[in-house]
Amino acid sequence: MEIIITKTAGFCFGVKRAINIAFRMAREKRKGVFTLGPIIHNPQVVEKLTEKGIVPIDTMRTKKDIRALIVRTHGIPLDVSQELEKKGCEIIDATCPFVKKAQYYAKLLSEEGYQVVILGEKNHPEVKSLMSYAGKHAIVVNAQSSLPRLKSRIGIVVQTTQPLEALKKVISDATAHAKEIKVYNTICNSTAQRLKETAHAAAKVDVMFVVGGKNSANTTQLTKLCKSLSVPTYHIETSSEIRTTWIRRAKKVGITAGASTPAWIIRDVENRIRDIGG
Amino acid sequence: MEIIITKTAGFCFGVKRAINIAFRMAREKRKGVFTLGPIIHNPQVVEKLTEKGIVPIDTMRTKKDIRALIVRTHGIPLDVSQELEKKGCEIIDATCPFVKKAQYYAKLLSEEGYQVVILGEKNHPEVKSLMSYAGKHAIVVNAQSSLPRLKSRIGIVVQTTQPLEALKKVISDATAHAKEIKVYNTICNSTAQRLKETAHAAAKVDVMFVVGGKNSANTTQLTKLCKSLSVPTYHIETSSEIRTTWIRRAKKVGITAGASTPAWIIRDVENRIRDIGG
């Protein structure tokens, strides 16, 4: 059996950086260091960190003694970080630098008087953080949205993990509404690259494994892509989920993984498949 | 026989304004007043003005004593107007205010450091005038172009008579190249409105007449549109071209006209059709 692992499977630059920051905090053994929400969309990594004392909290309304907060790759809303600073809580900023850039552009467009349109998923924490920078007339749309009535000067920024096709569609729709459009294409290259390599691998294999958190948007996107290419595709979090029957007759197996999947989980999956495949 | 004349047939705001300026000059009987190229793409109007002493010249390299020059709706390149001013020639500016706006935005985008992309027909005088404002890295593209290698910051302006679909395509293509795109949609509403009404009329009639100069881009566009809707369509300049056989069996006849077609020519066409139709 041949196994193809995509080169871009696993941690991207921003996630690597955030995880390094979190584990460094764990090594320093400081008291009262939390993350707001899981640091990445991967339960196994979050569990490891929790064991080492870096615990995620869901809300700031807690009785815990929060002395420092690690901001995860998605960033946090401006008002939340201002509130934290007011309370004397130290902010350890692990926001992905590409998300930071998108936040900056959202703010800039708003200051330049544009109505800011954010392409992304409304409930995603990255989009919530972008919204907080985008001024009071800002709206969130996705590729399925039909645009509401817009102002005549539109500024567009994009959740970093959106596909380029979605951006093309939204710009095209906005062109019929607005007289002036300014677009910052803040789509992260690594997402596009991962999608491209995954499609390439999926076209060559009998079975495809997508490894990553079930709550990870970019992992789910990879699964969708593979399924759309009519390859039998399994979205798994760990090797323990793999059933022998899935790969019994496969000659070529592909593995890809989301940006929040650690290398050791991918290796585990590879080993398990090799064990079954013989 | 029923005759449907589109409401937007004939002179648009900018053409009306330019023609008024030219005829006012004719009434003032000043010596040495010329237009650079025909004032509008309509030979009949140009002939009338020539009779009254407002003569088009093709080039500034002439032995004629040019004291004043009427700039037509399309505008003229910046360097030409600077050269004229240097020579002491008075410029009577009949550039369409919407074209002026597009020139202004081309200049603004260039000053803001964008590589300016002009959507339009390379050899059209309006596009040539826009190019002169758009900085040294500017390029012209049309809807059929595949984009060349672009810089990462792109500014787009549009020849005022381009269709919206062409703009959507160019923006969509540019999105794959550039990280930042600023678009001024300088498409003139009256063009879009005229196309829409013409399509509406063409869908209801047995024969369609498009009245206007054979060298008029927007009239030619109307003809193309009607033909694409499978209606027998005739592009004529004057009523004298109409053949009886064209409308012998028609119950409903449609008339539309380009932005440079005067009302009296449209009336003439209507009368001639009524004469034939009985």
Side-chain angles (χ1 to χ4, degrees):
Chain A
M1 180 189 290
E2 189 188 339
I3 299 177
I4 298 174
I5 305 174
T6 58
K7 266 188 228 157
T8 42
F11 285 0
C12 63
F13 162 73
V15 168
K16 245 179 235 164
R17 183 176 164 276
I19 294 297
N20 284 342
I21 291 172
F23 278 98
R24 193 170 64 229
M25 289 301 125
R27 279 196 305 277
E28 287 180 10
K29 292 187 191 300
R30 286 170 52 183
K31 291 255 181 268
V33 181
F34 294 85
T35 65
L36 188 57
I39 182 117
I40 57 171
H41 282 152
N42 184 279
Q44 291 71 35
V45 172
V46 173
E47 210 181 291
K48 274 201 177 185
L49 273 169
T50 304
E51 283 166 17
K52 290 175 189 290
I54 307 292
V55 178
I57 51 171
D58 280 339
T59 167
M60 294 306 298
R61 286 193 199 83
T62 168
K63 284 183 185 160
K64 288 181 176 122
D65 176 24
I66 302 170
R67 300 194 198 160
L69 199 78
I70 304 174
V71 172
R72 56 187 175 173
T73 52
H74 307 316
I76 52 173
L78 186 59
D79 53 317
V80 175
S81 74
Q82 283 167 343
E83 197 193 315
L84 287 170
E85 275 172 352
K86 226 185 279 172
K87 282 184 182 164
C89 172
E90 184 190 349
I91 292 176
I92 299 156
D93 194 356
T95 307
C96 168
F98 297 128
V99 175
K100 274 270 184 219
K101 219 167 161 180
Q103 288 172 347
Y104 168 77
Y105 287 136
K107 186 159 178 277
L108 184 70
L109 287 170
S110 165
E111 283 169 357
E112 288 179 347
Y114 293 96
Q115 180 182 18
V116 178
V117 173
I118 298 168
L119 166 61
E121 295 308 323
K122 208 163 76 177
N123 294 318
H124 193 283
E126 179 185 331
V127 174
K128 284 181 183 169
S129 88
L130 292 178
M131 267 303 268
S132 71
Y133 287 88
K136 61 178 176 177
H137 298 297
I139 59 164
V140 179
V141 300
N142 62 32
Q144 286 74 50
S145 311
S146 56
L147 292 183
R149 203 181 159 78
L150 297 173
K151 297 193 182 288
S152 72
R153 298 179 70 236
I154 296 299
I156 301 177
V157 287
V158 196
Q159 182 184 358
T160 53
T161 48
Q162 285 286 309
L164 185 64
E165 287 311 313
L167 175 57
K168 287 185 176 183
K169 182 181 174 289
V170 168
I171 299 177
S172 171
D173 290 353
T175 308
H177 289 68
K179 290 311 268 183
E180 182 184 337
I181 303 174
K182 190 169 175 181
V183 185
Y184 286 104
N185 177 356
T186 48
I187 294 173
C188 169
N189 272 337
S190 91
T191 305
Q193 195 59 33
R194 187 180 295 112
L195 285 164
K196 203 170 140 189
E197 280 193 7
T198 297
H200 203 241
K204 292 193 288 191
V205 300
D206 306 308
V207 183
M208 195 75 195
F209 286 93
V210 182
V211 190
K214 296 273 160 75
N215 60 347
S216 153
N218 80 84
T219 308
T220 309
Q221 205 181 350
L222 292 172
T223 309
K224 245 193 213 168
L225 171 69
C226 294
K227 285 187 174 165
S228 78
L229 297 168
S230 305
V231 188
T233 302
Y234 301 100
H235 179 174
I236 56 173
E237 283 192 354
T238 66
S239 64
S240 66
E241 294 168 58
I242 301 172
R243 296 206 198 138
T244 316
T245 51
W246 291 351
I247 50 173
R248 198 174 281 152
R249 280 189 203 83
K251 281 179 184 151
K252 276 192 189 181
V253 174
I255 303 174
T256 187
S260 45
T261 308
W264 61 268
I265 292 188
I266 302 172
R267 257 197 315 274
D268 246 23
V269 168
E270 183 193 358
N271 292 337
R272 174 85 182 114
I273 292 172
R274 224 176 271 290
D275 283 351
I276 297 171
Chain B
M1 179 191 290
E2 190 188 339
I3 299 176
I4 299 174
I5 305 175
T6 59
K7 266 188 230 157
T8 43
F11 285 0
C12 63
F13 162 73
V15 168
K16 246 178 235 165
R17 183 175 165 275
I19 295 296
N20 284 342
I21 291 173
F23 277 98
R24 193 169 65 231
M25 290 299 125
R27 280 196 304 278
E28 288 180 8
K29 293 187 191 299
R30 287 169 50 184
K31 292 254 181 267
V33 180
F34 295 85
T35 65
L36 189 56
I39 182 117
I40 57 170
H41 282 151
N42 184 279
Q44 291 71 36
V45 172
V46 173
E47 210 180 293
K48 274 203 177 183
L49 275 168
T50 305
E51 284 167 15
K52 290 174 189 288
I54 306 292
V55 179
I57 50 171
D58 281 339
T59 167
M60 296 305 298
R61 285 191 200 83
T62 167
K63 283 181 185 161
K64 287 179 177 128
D65 176 25
I66 303 170
R67 298 193 198 162
L69 200 78
I70 304 173
V71 172
R72 56 185 175 174
T73 52
H74 306 316
I76 51 172
L78 187 59
D79 54 317
V80 175
S81 73
Q82 284 167 342
E83 198 193 314
L84 287 170
E85 275 171 352
K86 224 184 282 172
K87 281 183 182 165
C89 172
E90 185 191 345
I91 292 176
I92 299 156
D93 194 356
T95 307
C96 168
F98 297 127
V99 175
K100 274 271 185 220
K101 218 167 162 180
Q103 288 172 347
Y104 168 77
Y105 287 136
K107 187 159 177 277
L108 185 71
L109 287 170
S110 165
E111 283 168 358
E112 288 179 348
Y114 294 96
Q115 180 182 19
V116 178
V117 173
I118 299 167
L119 166 61
E121 295 308 323
K122 207 163 76 176
N123 294 317
H124 193 283
E126 179 186 330
V127 174
K128 284 181 183 169
S129 88
L130 291 178
M131 268 302 269
S132 71
Y133 287 88
K136 61 179 177 179
H137 298 297
I139 59 164
V140 179
V141 300
N142 62 32
Q144 285 74 49
S145 310
S146 56
L147 292 183
R149 202 181 161 78
L150 298 173
K151 297 191 182 288
S152 72
R153 299 179 69 235
I154 296 299
I156 301 177
V157 287
V158 196
Q159 181 183 358
T160 53
T161 48
Q162 285 286 309
L164 187 63
E165 288 311 313
L167 176 57
K168 287 185 175 183
K169 184 184 173 288
V170 168
I171 299 177
S172 171
D173 290 354
T175 308
H177 289 68
K179 291 310 268 183
E180 181 183 338
I181 303 174
K182 191 168 175 182
V183 185
Y184 286 105
N185 177 356
T186 48
I187 295 173
C188 169
N189 272 337
S190 90
T191 305
Q193 194 59 32
R194 187 181 296 112
L195 285 164
K196 203 172 140 186
E197 280 194 8
T198 297
H200 203 241
K204 292 194 288 189
V205 299
D206 306 308
V207 182
M208 195 74 196
F209 285 92
V210 182
V211 190
K214 296 273 161 75
N215 60 348
S216 153
N218 80 84
T219 308
T220 309
Q221 205 180 349
L222 291 172
T223 308
K224 248 193 210 166
L225 171 68
C226 295
K227 285 186 174 167
S228 77
L229 296 168
S230 304
V231 188
T233 303
Y234 301 100
H235 179 175
I236 57 172
E237 283 191 354
T238 66
S239 64
S240 66
E241 295 168 57
I242 302 173
R243 295 202 199 143
T244 316
T245 51
W246 292 350
I247 49 174
R248 197 174 282 152
R249 282 189 203 81
K251 280 179 187 154
K252 276 192 189 181
V253 174
I255 303 175
T256 187
S260 46
T261 308
W264 61 268
I265 290 188
I266 301 171
R267 258 198 316 274
D268 245 23
V269 168
E270 184 193 357
N271 293 336
R272 174 88 182 111
I273 292 171
R274 223 175 271 291
D275 282 351
I276 297 171

